Amino acid sequence: MADDTKTTDAAKPEVAASPAEAAQTPPQQPVQVQVNDDNAMATYANFCRVTGSPEELIVDFGLNPQPIGVPKDPIQVKQRIIVNFFTAKRLLAALQMSVARHESVFGVLETDINKRVRPGLQQQQAPQKS
């Protein structure tokens, strides 16, 4: 270190900030966590089921080969993720932010598959006004 006379935040005496000063302090930057995803396995899912207990959530992912109507065969669960509610809440926030960003660029996502696949059908079924 070229200059050892600088004080660090840990060496500074603590001073109580007024509420106005505290409101003006910039938020802390998120910590960058290193992730190694070399062994991660990617799979596609168009079905998910959420169950759980008072301590954790269980999210099952699978592929529904018949997305319209009731499937004839059971849906095979390929991935099961078990998380505590703290992690689930962080996941919820991350997913909400990602979906909101996507919708702001590409438009609102319609989750009713019947409206997506057959948009003309909805107009035909609507009663016509005379």
Side-chain angles (χ1 to χ4, degrees), residues 12-111:
K12 291 180 183 176
E14 289 194 26
V15 178
S18 69
E21 289 173 351
Q24 293 177 357
T25 358
Q28 286 186 338
Q29 293 296 324
V31 177
Q32 294 295 323
V33 177
Q34 292 184 356
V35 175
N36 180 348
D37 60 358
D38 291 344
N39 296 321
M41 190 172 67
T43 57
Y44 175 78
N46 64 356
F47 169 84
C48 77
R49 174 183 62 186
V50 179
T51 56
S53 70
E55 292 85 23
E56 59 204 11
L57 282 177
I58 301 167
V59 186
D60 292 331
F61 294 97
L63 182 62
N64 181 0
Q66 184 185 342
I68 299 174
V70 178
K72 294 176 185 136
D73 298 322
I75 296 171
Q76 296 294 314
V77 170
K78 297 293 184 181
Q79 297 287 324
R80 174 169 286 159
I81 308 295
I82 303 168
V83 296
N84 62 45
F85 279 93
F86 297 100
T87 302
K89 191 167 184 176
R90 288 189 292 269
L91 175 62
L92 173 64
L95 289 173
Q96 284 177 324
M97 185 173 39
S98 295
V99 170
R101 206 177 299 142
H102 178 88
E103 287 184 328
S104 71
V105 173
F106 299 105
V108 177
L109 293 167
E110 177 57 62
T111 56

